[in-house]
């Protein structure tokens, strides 16, 4: 008797933990980045001469001395830029090369073009000797600029209710101030651009490590005085970006482009790590002042808050960063009466820019510090104070007027506290601290509510192309950029799912401004949301044409045609997908299509700071346990339990990786990554790995437990998934507060250690000394 054949069920493509599409290339060192691309014959190399002053009047430059250096072909200054000398993304206030005024120590003043990279760098290093400038007073801190009223844009105000009256009537008041440091993106691949003249000098191809190819295209065109259609920008992959390659890759693309056009040869500009630190901006540091009122249970009644960011010398993206900070001050909490004022201070330092979270972490961390202080003042467990302030039915509208439709904070918190054994460990830590003189432990829980969408409505759009070839293979091009986060893998999964194909049948090509035009940056955690939907739209158009063609062949209705497991079936008949496609081509059926997606329902009044700026919210929570050496100030996170909401995950393996990486990056920012500028010269002294400490594998908690919340998105996103790029960074708040909790164990009951961030060993010792 013959056995029945086993039923073959195709493994789902969407929702399965597939490996990153380039993982095998990454681990073997074979993945080509911009610097790995073959250089055209005669390629020249550029380097930048940097300002030695934080602020000064540029008087002159000894160009001839630089030109006499070995290998030097040309020296470019602002006068050589035919078009607009600007690389600022929103306001035209950021020169490519200094023109008249020196704004910060490290500002590019000139560019050296030489036959070799080392020759260009040696010539550019003469900047200290050849730049003639008159020193001017420099403002180096945000609070100093704030006191002087120096801002890169007008202050922002967001108010709800009657905070002054409710503050005056509150049973308890808490006033305080706090400072939070910035953070270097420290992408493994530095800033780099390769500009190659095309069409006899009538067009230009720029290979650029950038999160925003379309913006690079526009800014390069402006610098050359060209229309955009003469400039093509390509990016196959980046070795990390974290926001540092959103707007700030423009300066290097523009310099390479101007030099390539002038010399009619390919020009590459790849920064040394020190120069990268000295030239580019980073996460905005913030200074806060607050006055809050609360009741005996720790419920917030009113808040008056001032946020001052260090914008640096130009506006860059400081306006939307501050807007997002103001919109995330509430985090997961209901604030009935609140007044917030945001100031973007102009200082003579690098122009700060996008960084994973884009102001959201700086806003949300302030309320976490406030609630922790309230809990300590009242002698309550900080977890209980947080739970009493969570958004709830009837108390579910943000200060900027958007209703919070998914209220996951309570359920997520209950689940995380149970899985992490919070109550038991709280008692165990209290017993440990009572018996340990030198080492102290701390425990902390923090939640996350993070709004997903660009808070500039028109940026929430994306395009894609899907090409089906006659052998049944599929090529996808979309407007997003791949920086290691797995965007191309997720988009390929979406397209494979739509066409019923195995994942290996679909490939994503390099991001290219000549393929999909006018794209938004891959930022704001919208990469999969926007580009996944656009690619799905394109795939569905091709699928509809193929279904109609198959229906004629099979003699059934088009809606009965199924695409699954690499085959197309209907009316009791079946064909391999490749055979159907080949037959459709012979009948002149269009086998490619474009796709487009615009996020619905968004609106924002940037003057009133009111509207519906976010399509949905991602939620999360973290419980961290810290160990502190009270003699040295050294600290360690010894366990972290993370529970994060990614909706119905497109790819759990990639999402868990993003959660782990985001948490570690947030932990690094708040515990060890310290930026220091020389108080007199304005030079960034932490401009290399030798002086700037980022977390490594050794800093990862020995116990790191990550779990997905597993509830499908209520909003109609791509397969009901949620963004995972930025929100997990806020999970790192729990690391800082766990260290603070350990410091509190060194003092009397109800003490509130003044722990600053980053919580370096020095900061920890200062906090311990304060409470002792």
């Amino acid at each position: 008797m013959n056995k029945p054949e086993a039923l073959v069920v195709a493994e789902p493509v969407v929702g399965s933990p597939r490996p990153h599409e380039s993982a095998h290339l990454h681990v073997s060192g074979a993945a080509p980045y911009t610097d790995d691309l073959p250089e055209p014959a005669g390629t020249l190399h550029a380097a930048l001469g940097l300002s030695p002053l934080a602020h000064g009047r540029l008087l002159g430059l000894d160009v001839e001395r630089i030109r006499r250096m070995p290998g030097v072909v040309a020296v470019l200054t602002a006068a050589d830029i035919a078009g607009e000398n600007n690389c600022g993304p929103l306001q035209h206030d950021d020169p490519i090369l200094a023109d008249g005024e020196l704004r910060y120590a490290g500002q590019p003043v000139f560019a050296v073009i030489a036959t070799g990279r080392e020759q260009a760098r040696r010539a550019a290093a003469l900047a200290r000797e050849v730049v003639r400038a008159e020193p001017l007073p420099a403002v180096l801190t945000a609070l100093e600029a704030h006191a002087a009223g120096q801002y890169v844009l007008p202050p922002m105000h967001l108010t709800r209710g009657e905070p002054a009256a409710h503050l005056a009537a509150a049973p308890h008041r808490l006033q305080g101030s706090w400072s939070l440091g910035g953070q270097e993106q420290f992408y493994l691949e530095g800033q780099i651009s390769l500009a190659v003249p095309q069409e006899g000098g009538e067009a230009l191809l720029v290979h650029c490590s950038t999160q925003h190819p379309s913006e690079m295209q526009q800014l390069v065109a402006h610098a050359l005085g060209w229309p955009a259609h003469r400039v093509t920008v390509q990016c196959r992959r980046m070795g990390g970006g974290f926001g540092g390659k959103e707007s700030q890759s423009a300066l290097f693309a523009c310099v390479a482009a101007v030099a390539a056009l002038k010399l009619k040869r390919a020009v590459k500009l790849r920064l040394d790590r020190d120069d990268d630190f000295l030239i580019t901006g980073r996460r905005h540091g913030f200074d806060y002042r607050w006055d809050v009122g609360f009741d005996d249970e720790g419920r917030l009644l009113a808040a008056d808050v001032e946020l001052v960011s260090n914008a640096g010398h130009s506006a860059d993206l400081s306006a939307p960063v501050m807007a997002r900070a103001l919109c995330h001050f509430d985090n997961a909490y209901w604030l009935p009466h609140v007044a917030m004022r945001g100031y973007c201070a102009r200082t003579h330092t690098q122009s700060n820019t996008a960084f994973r979270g884009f102001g959201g972490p700086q806003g949300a961390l302030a309320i976490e510090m406030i609630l922790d202080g309230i809990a300590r003042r009242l002698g309550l467990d900080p977890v209980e104070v947080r739970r009493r302030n969570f958004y709830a039915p009837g108390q579910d509208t943000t200060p900027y007027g958007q209703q919070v439709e998914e209220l996951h904070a309570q359920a997520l918190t209950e689940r995380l506290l149970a899985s992490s054994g919070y109550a038991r460990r709280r008692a165990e830590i209290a017993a440990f601290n009572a018996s340990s003189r030198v080492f102290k432990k701390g425990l902390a829980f923090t939640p996350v509510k993070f709004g997903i969408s660009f808070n500039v409505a028109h940026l929430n759009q994306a395009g894609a192309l899907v090409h089906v070839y006659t052998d049944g293979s599929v090529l996808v091009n979309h407007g997003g950029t791949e920086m290691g986060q797995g965007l191309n893998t997720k988009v390929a999964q979406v397209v494979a799912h739509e066409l019923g194909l195995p994942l290996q049948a679909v490939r994503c090509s390099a991001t290219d401004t000549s393929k999909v035009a006018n794209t938004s940056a891959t930022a704001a955690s919208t990469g999969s949301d926007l580009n996944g939907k656009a690619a799905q739209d394109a795939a569905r158009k091709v699928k509809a044409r193929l279904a109609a063609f198959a229906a004629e062949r099979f003699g059934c209705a088009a809606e009965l045609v199924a695409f699954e497991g690499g085959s197309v079936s209907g009316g009791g008949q079946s064909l391999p997908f490749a055979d159907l496609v080949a037959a459709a081509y012979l009948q002149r059926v269009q086998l490619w299509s474009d796709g487009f997606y615009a996020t619905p329902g968004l609106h924002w009044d940037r003057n009133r700071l009111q509207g519906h700026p976010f399509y949905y919210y991602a939620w999360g929570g973290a419980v961290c346990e810290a160990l502190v050496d009270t003699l040295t100030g050294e600290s360690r996170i010894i366990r972290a339990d993370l529970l994060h909401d990614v909706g119905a995950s497109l790819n759990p393996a990639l999402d868990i990786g993003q959660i782990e990486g985001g948490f570690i990056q947030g932990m690094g920012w708040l515990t060890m990554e310290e930026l220091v500028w020389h108080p007199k010269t304005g030079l960034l002294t932490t401009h290399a790995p030798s002086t700037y400490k980022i977390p490594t594998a050794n800093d990862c908690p020995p116990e790191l437990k990550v779990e997905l919340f597993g509830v499908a998105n209520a909003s109609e996103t791509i397969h009901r998934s949620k963004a995972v790029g930025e929100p997990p960074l806020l999970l790192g708040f729990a690391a800082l507060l766990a260290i603070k909790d350990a410091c509190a164990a060194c003092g009397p009951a109800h003490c509130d250690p003044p722990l600053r961030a980053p919580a370096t060993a020095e900061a920890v010792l200062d906090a311990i000394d304060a409470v002792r």
Side-chain angles (χ1 to χ4, degrees), residues 42-49 63 66-77 80 97 110-125 193-195 251-270:
T43 295
L44 300 173
H45 296 264
L48 297 168
V63 174
I66 307 170
R67 285 177 178 153
R68 291 195 297 268
M69 291 290 288
V72 171
V73 175
V75 181
L76 304 182
T77 66
D80 295 294
L97 296 175
F110 60 91
V112 177
I113 319 300
T115 54
R117 182 170 177 269
E118 286 305 312
Q119 292 167 316
R121 289 186 62 212
R122 288 182 183 279
S193 287
L194 170 64
L251 189 152
F252 315 105
C254 288
V255 168
V258 169
L261 183 64
K262 183 179 182 68
L263 301 172
K264 296 181 171 36
R265 290 167 68 177
V267 174
K268 179 188 281 189
L269 171 53
R270 174 168 65 86

Side-chain angles (χ1 to χ4, degrees), residues 401-424:
Q402 178 167 340
Q403 184 181 7
V404 183
E405 296 175 351
E406 290 180 310
L407 298 172
H408 287 328
Q410 291 285 6
L412 190 147
T413 300
E414 294 296 332
R415 184 165 143 191
L416 178 60
L417 293 180
S419 65
S420 65
Y422 178 88
R424 170 183 53 79

Side-chain angles (χ1 to χ4, degrees), residues 42 73 132 142 172 235 282 293 301 311 416 438 517 523 557 567 602 655 689 767:
V73 175
R132 291 186 293 108
H172 304 279
C235 180
R282 44 200 57 84
L301 303 175
L416 178 60
V438 173
S567 296
L602 302 179
D655 286 346

